[in-house]
Amino acid sequence: MRTRCLPLMLMCFLAMARGQQPGVDFIAGTISILPEASDHSIRGTVHYTFHFAGKADSIYLDAHNMEIHRLTVDGQPATFTANGKELALVAPRDPGQHELRIEYLARPRQTVYFIGPEGDGGDSQIWTQGQGKYSSHWVPSFDDMREKVVFDLEVTAARGREVIANGVLEEKRNQGDRVTWVYDMEQPMSSYLLAFAIGRYDSIGMQSASGVPIALYYPAGRRADARRTYRHTDRVFNFLEREIGVPYPWQNYKQVPVRDFMYAGMENTGTTFFADSYLVDSIGVNDRNYLNVNAHELAHQWFGNLVTETDGGQHWLHEGFATYYAYLAEGHILGEREMYWALYRSANALKQLSRDGSGESLLDPGSGSLTFYEKGAWALLALRNLVGDTAFREGVRSYLHTYAFGNATVDGFLEVMERAAGTSLDGFRQQWLEGKDFPYEAAISHLRERDASLARYLDLISGEAGSGEGKVAGAGDDHAAAERDNAVQDVAAPGQEVLLNAWEAFDAAPYRAALATRYGALFGPELLEKSRADSRPEVQKALLSIPLPNDPGVQAWLEGLLDAPSYEIREAVLYRLWSGFPDRRAEYLDRTADNPLIQAPNLKQLWWLLALLTEGYADPETGRAYLGNLRGTTGPDFDREVRENGFRLLHQADALGEENLKDLLGATEHHSWQFRKFARRLLDELIAARPERGLWQSLAQGLSRERFKYVYNKIEEL
């Protein structure tokens, strides 16, 4: 899985304490389901084949919030109990192979998400997210990654909808106004990787160089955006197969954008789901690039799906490996320089984590995503540097072959790598896996040796204290937040000649962006002119992150960026111009009035707010329309990021209306924990400012007390 922002999510992936059942091995499962959007239910049947060694009294499956309507073993009714979390049935008398059939009704509170209007109209979607919560909320299955099963999946949906699931589509069976889609898998997998999505989709088909069928889905009508988003897919796929050295392990590969996804992407077996905000137009592509997510989730098809961890203490085997190979894929497509600068930003973020006393071991199941993803990738880079390319590749291939379609531990991986390298890896384990602090100096030394622009930049910042000219007052190290750790306060900084020479030394965008962010406040007229002439969005964003005077030269430069090939730049520039040059506010609003809501939601929201705040710009009726448009973006029809920005802007302007407050109450139980946390914090602030119990009670009418406990608890406290 790829998180949208590394520090935001703790990835703790724990197996059930009960673990695998001794003497019971589930071999195959056929799942038949009918998801109902009208009541958010799943009516289904699952048929398991299992082998029983005759050494247990009971057999257990995980089944959350399910009604078990009928259960048979070998065609005969069997005794069972269900407690809302677990299903236990009396074991067969005889050892050998048996057939278990369960008919059930599930009302999943998580893992299946019904997005959009109820019923089958409009652009509503239904999709799953099993990692972290498990698929046992919609099918009796196994909250244990070690129980691997060959799953086939049959999903019934309304005619006119596309159903995408793990495996190969074998047939579609028409049943009046519904269609049943039948998907087949050939190899076993952990049940948390089960997935299906239902929506109005079209697709683009292609094949890998090795002949693997690839289907790239997109919402109907957005083919051009899809081609832009998926433009690197075939190159990423072919590169990873070559680099890893083991053929892609599944029958086919599919990618599906879904609405209001909680993360950037999720590597369901053979079927990646990702946030549809990565579908972008020719301008948005400079703000949100799908390449890293694309490569990360594909790498998981080997590291996580083919070979799966046994428990959370082995999570490095998933996220560290996927992050590392995603870096390699980016380097292959964008150039190694881009990769090394990305690794430099990663190293600075990890350095700050250690400096804050928050460093974590890669063997700690409670570590955060920054550790598992970024420190994990760095550990593999260090391991490859230690043992050499040949031994590293041989070891990875041997690891994947040894544990294919099974489970592995870090110890198992290191044993394989030691055989390939012919040397002990105890020192590597102690420094990179067990140690809490990030080995920053070793990482920087590695980067210095591999990229001349990084070496030049590192030499420049290391010489600040003795350069004798100027001061750096609170400047950040790069436009990325992870870089700002290197800020130097009140120390001597390079002079103009040094900075000019440094600027001209390399044309690389990340290099110049780092220079601009760190030293831009010190740039003289000549260097300012040179830097502003660099039209690449990465450099322009860096320049916009530093203080700039409101002089005619800056004004002209900013005005030119109102049409920049980046919505983020346009947004930042519009606000800066509107704030800095009040006599021309109407002109700037006129120039930016046509930005589309669907592709540039934050910019459009800001525009509506600024239009409302600009005296005389809109007549009362038009102003009410602008306010209505902005208030409308907090509703459930919009992506959570758009909604959050709408709430924030309206709150800052003291313009939250009654419907916005109702939207906020609803958001306190949103399926995205990030948005849910934001909504609860804002609600706390609003209630503290207006502790009127009657007001909040009236707004909460219609919300069930059982589901919206947080809201009602806050009201009860008043």
Side-chain angles (χ1 to χ4, degrees):
M1 183 192 296
R2 191 59 164 155
T3 57
R4 199 183 294 264
C5 295
L6 290 174
L8 291 180
M9 188 184 73
L10 286 178
M11 283 302 303
C12 185
F13 209 3
L14 301 177
M16 290 288 288
R18 168 168 53 78
Q20 283 184 301
Q21 302 168 70
V24 182
D25 181 21
F26 283 82
I27 301 166
T30 298
I31 304 167
S32 301
I33 58 171
L34 171 62
E36 290 283 13
S38 59
D39 63 356
H40 294 191
S41 68
I42 303 282
R43 188 174 300 277
T45 301
V46 59
H47 183 169
Y48 284 115
T49 300
F50 68 95
H51 187 272
F52 180 57
K55 297 180 180 179
D57 295 327
S58 300
I59 296 174
Y60 299 90
L61 292 88
D62 297 288
H64 295 268
N65 301 312
M66 292 185 190
E67 300 173 14
I68 308 301
H69 292 165
R70 190 166 187 265
L71 187 150
T72 63
V73 176
D74 300 327
Q76 300 300 314
T79 303
F80 68 91
T81 59
N83 61 11
K85 294 183 179 180
E86 191 174 67
L87 171 62
L89 58 133
V90 175
R93 293 183 179 179
D94 302 322
Q97 185 166 297
H98 297 274
E99 307 295 322
L100 168 64
R101 180 182 173 87
I102 306 169
E103 298 176 15
Y104 64 94
L105 176 66
R107 300 188 185 278
R109 298 173 184 172
Q110 53 198 14
T111 76
V112 180
Y113 301 99
F114 299 82
I115 308 298
E118 293 184 356
D120 299 314
D123 61 349
S124 62
Q125 294 179 354
I126 305 173
W127 48 260
T128 59
Q129 168 56 31
Q131 183 165 336
K133 300 296 184 182
Y134 292 99
S135 301
S136 55
H137 290 266
W138 61 271
V139 57
S141 51
F142 316 98
D143 293 0
D144 187 332
M145 291 173 283
R146 295 171 295 173
E147 189 70 76
K148 291 204 167 188
V149 178
V150 179
F151 284 105
D152 295 334
L153 190 56
E154 301 178 0
V155 183
T156 300
R159 185 180 296 276
R161 297 288 167 146
E162 195 85 7
V163 174
I164 307 107
N166 315 98
V168 170
L169 179 63
E170 284 197 325
E171 64 172 318
K172 293 192 291 186
R173 297 196 294 260
N174 294 321
Q175 301 174 338
D177 61 349
R178 289 176 170 170
V179 178
T180 297
W181 301 64
V182 181
Y183 281 90
D184 168 75
M185 288 285 290
E186 294 179 348
Q187 299 290 353
M189 66 176 183
S190 302
S191 62
Y192 79 91
L193 294 166
L194 278 167
F196 68 86
I198 303 173
R200 297 192 186 279
Y201 288 103
D202 292 326
S203 65
I204 300 168
M206 62 175 63
Q207 264 194 354
S208 72
S210 59
V212 176
I214 300 172
L216 309 174
Y217 288 86
Y218 59 91
R222 299 190 64 183
R223 188 178 184 86
D225 293 342
R227 286 194 175 278
R228 194 173 294 108
T229 294
Y230 291 126
R231 66 194 183 281
H232 298 304
T233 295
D234 55 343
R235 293 182 65 193
V236 169
F237 196 105
N238 296 334
F239 170 79
L240 288 180
E241 273 205 314
R242 291 194 308 271
E243 176 64 31
I244 294 169
V246 174
Y248 176 78
W250 312 103
Q251 296 148 281
N252 59 13
Y253 187 53
K254 301 178 283 288
Q255 296 191 73
V256 188
V258 297
R259 288 183 55 203
D260 230 359
F261 202 48
M262 297 94 85
Y263 312 113
M266 173 62 202
E267 70 280 4
N268 311 299
T269 303
T271 311
T272 286
F273 291 173
F274 66 95
D276 65 359
S277 54
Y278 283 99
L279 289 173
V280 290
D281 63 12
S282 59
I283 298 172
V285 72
N286 292 311
D287 297 322
R288 181 162 288 180
N289 192 332
Y290 180 57
L291 173 58
N292 183 272
V293 177
N294 193 344
H296 183 100
E297 307 308 339
L298 180 56
H300 269 309
Q301 300 302 324
W302 288 269
F303 303 99
N305 296 8
L306 172 63
V307 178
T308 309
E309 66 193 49
T310 57
D311 58 70
Q314 325 303 318
H315 201 45
W316 172 56
L317 299 175
H318 287 202
E319 299 302 347
F321 282 65
T323 304
Y324 171 72
Y325 281 99
Y327 274 129
L328 294 187
E330 284 189 299
H332 172 69
I333 291 171
L334 302 179
E336 288 191 346
R337 175 157 288 164
E338 293 284 343
M339 177 186 74
Y340 288 127
W341 275 94
L343 283 166
Y344 175 60
R345 292 190 288 271
S346 167
N348 281 323
L350 290 163
K351 176 188 177 184
Q352 187 62 48
L353 198 68
S354 296
R355 178 179 288 179
D356 292 342
S358 302
E360 299 165 320
S361 164
L362 276 166
L363 304 182
D364 181 356
S367 291
S369 58
L370 184 62
T371 296
F372 280 132
Y373 288 65
E374 298 299 326
K375 187 179 180 183
W378 267 105
L380 286 167
L381 191 150
L383 178 60
R384 187 169 188 162
N385 192 45
L386 175 66
V387 304
D389 287 352
T390 300
F392 182 84
R393 285 193 170 103
E394 179 185 337
V396 168
R397 287 195 300 270
S398 179
Y399 164 69
L400 291 173
H401 287 308
T402 300
Y403 297 102
F405 304 109
N407 300 85
T409 63
V410 172
D411 287 343
F413 170 73
L414 292 179
E415 288 174 7
V416 172
M417 291 301 299
E418 285 181 335
R419 287 197 298 270
T423 185
S424 170
L425 295 176
D426 288 349
F428 165 80
R429 180 189 179 104
Q430 291 170 7
Q431 181 181 31
W432 285 95
L433 305 186
E434 296 175 352
K436 291 185 177 182
D437 289 338
F438 177 67
Y440 183 75
E441 295 304 323
I444 292 302
S445 177
H446 180 88
L447 294 175
R448 276 184 177 276
E449 294 172 0
R450 281 158 178 78
D451 186 78
S453 71
L454 262 167
R456 178 66 179 263
Y457 179 73
L458 291 166
D459 286 342
L460 187 66
I461 65 174
S462 66
E464 283 174 350
S467 65
E469 292 187 58
K471 296 287 182 179
V472 179
D477 188 359
D478 198 340
H479 65 286
E483 285 278 332
R484 289 200 288 268
D485 167 54
N486 275 350
V488 179
Q489 300 232 5
D490 298 327
V491 298
Q496 290 302 302
E497 183 176 354
V498 173
L499 289 174
L500 278 165
N501 289 337
W503 185 267
E504 296 292 349
F506 295 95
D507 186 46
Y511 169 78
R512 287 188 169 178
L515 288 174
T517 308
R518 188 177 187 89
Y519 299 114
L522 302 177
F523 283 3
E526 182 180 356
L527 189 47
L528 276 175
E529 185 176 351
K530 284 180 177 291
S531 63
R532 292 170 188 166
D534 191 324
S535 61
R536 290 171 295 186
E538 186 173 359
V539 179
Q540 300 292 351
K541 290 177 184 181
L543 289 169
L544 288 169
S545 71
I546 63 175
L548 293 169
N550 286 345
D551 60 38
V554 169
Q555 184 178 11
W557 172 67
L558 291 172
E559 289 173 353
L561 292 178
L562 285 173
D563 299 313
S566 159
Y567 292 123
E568 291 179 0
I569 290 176
R570 293 183 184 188
E571 181 184 357
V573 167
L574 174 60
Y575 183 74
R576 185 168 287 196
L577 285 169
W578 185 90
S579 303
F581 305 96
D583 57 322
R584 299 183 64 180
R585 286 177 174 176
E587 176 187 340
Y588 298 140
L589 290 170
D590 286 343
R591 280 190 57 182
T592 54
D594 295 330
N595 285 296
L597 176 59
I598 187 171
Q599 293 287 0
N602 285 18
L603 175 55
K604 197 66 181 181
Q605 289 170 304
L606 175 66
W607 189 94
W608 282 324
L609 179 61
L610 297 183
L612 286 167
L613 297 176
T614 300
E615 186 176 355
Y617 184 73
D619 59 59
E621 183 177 352
T622 304
R624 285 191 293 272
Y626 291 158
L627 180 59
N629 291 338
L630 180 56
R631 284 177 168 172
T633 61
T634 67
D637 288 343
F638 287 90
D639 181 271
R640 63 181 176 86
E641 292 181 336
V642 178
R643 298 179 67 188
E644 184 172 324
N645 192 55
F647 282 125
R648 186 177 289 110
L649 291 177
L650 288 164
H651 178 49
Q652 290 171 353
D654 195 24
L656 288 163
E658 182 175 313
E659 289 304 313
N660 302 121
L661 295 177
K662 291 180 178 179
D663 290 339
L664 183 65
L665 296 182
T668 60
E669 299 299 334
H670 194 271
H671 62 264
S672 165
W673 69 267
Q674 302 98 320
F675 186 42
R676 183 169 64 246
K677 184 177 181 180
F678 164 83
R680 291 181 177 187
R681 283 181 174 176
L682 180 55
L683 178 62
D684 291 350
E685 184 178 343
L686 293 173
I687 289 179
R690 296 186 63 183
E692 304 164 23
R693 185 168 184 170
L695 167 66
W696 299 106
Q697 283 180 326
S698 65
L699 291 171
Q701 285 183 358
L703 300 180
S704 71
R705 285 183 173 269
E706 180 181 5
R707 181 182 175 194
F708 292 89
K709 292 180 181 178
Y710 186 86
V711 169
Y712 282 100
N713 286 341
K714 296 301 295 185
I715 293 174
E716 291 300 321
E717 292 173 2
L718 293 176

